[in-house]
Amino acid sequence: MRWYGWQKWKKYPKLYALHKAIMDYFIMKNPNYAKRVAFDVPVGKPRPPFVSSDPASLAGWQYATSHRIDALFDLGDEFEIVEIKPESELSAVGQVLMYYDLFADTYRDYPSVYARLITLNAHPEIERLCNNYGIRLTNYKFEEIAPDWANIIE
């Protein structure tokens, strides 16, 4: 896992343009929220390979087939598993819960871990489910990040 400073970056590992805009906006709105952040964090076990391979190929297979958390926020005394969804369907709640569970199995040395969903225009059912399952929800309106839209298209 590679840690980055809590700041806006030109690029984030494995985040698409709209995901990047959402992350940039979250950092802008919360400039002192976290100490550091990791991206594309592997959790759980990879799928078994179809055929046996050399160690380098096996490592590539494991990387490609493991589940990945969009971001992990280090808040100092706690951590947040973060999924960024431009359009969150109800399945986003299940995905965040699965990552939360897999993270606990993969990284046992992290106390006080919470889940967060950062999304745009969340359906009221998403809000209800997040409340029911203890998922921290950040729900922006698309219009909030739209002024920066020209900057994310490269």
Side-chain angles (χ1 to χ4, degrees), residues 42-49 58-68 106:
V43 292
K45 297 178 182 166
R47 293 183 187 142
L58 183 58
W61 175 265
Q62 290 172 335
Y63 178 86
T65 62
S66 65
H67 298 288
R68 304 217 163 265
T106 308

Side-chain angles (χ1 to χ4, degrees), residues 44 99-108:
Y99 288 161
Y100 176 82
D101 189 62
L102 291 174
F103 185 87
D105 284 346
T106 308
Y107 303 96
R108 297 178 190 269

Side-chain angles (χ1 to χ4, degrees), residues 72 75 78-82 100 112-116 134 136:
L72 178 65
L75 307 180
E78 63 188 44
F79 293 84
E80 283 184 340
I81 294 161
V82 179
Y100 176 82
S112 301
V113 177
Y114 299 90
R116 174 176 296 280
R136 297 170 177 178

Side-chain angles (χ1 to χ4, degrees), residues 7-71:
Q7 65 189 40
K8 288 169 55 172
W9 292 88
K10 183 175 180 175
K11 289 182 95 174
Y12 301 103
K14 307 292 182 182
L15 290 186
Y16 298 111
L18 189 50
H19 292 75
K20 180 193 180 306
I22 294 167
M23 183 68 196
D24 283 348
Y25 193 75
F26 186 90
I27 290 172
M28 183 190 73
K29 296 294 269 182
N30 304 281
N32 299 310
Y33 188 72
K35 294 171 60 176
R36 58 188 182 160
V37 58
F39 296 98
D40 198 35
V41 178
V43 292
K45 297 178 182 166
R47 293 183 187 142
F50 295 115
V51 295
S52 60
S53 297
D54 62 273
S57 296
L58 183 58
W61 175 265
Q62 290 172 335
Y63 178 86
T65 62
S66 65
H67 298 288
R68 304 217 163 265
I69 298 170
D70 285 342

Side-chain angles (χ1 to χ4, degrees), residues 122-142:
H123 189 281
E125 292 299 325
I126 298 275
E127 293 181 29
R128 184 180 66 79
L129 287 171
C130 285
N131 285 333
N132 288 350
Y133 288 101
I135 298 169
R136 297 170 177 178
L137 176 65
T138 301
N139 183 21
Y140 296 125
K141 300 294 181 211
F142 182 79

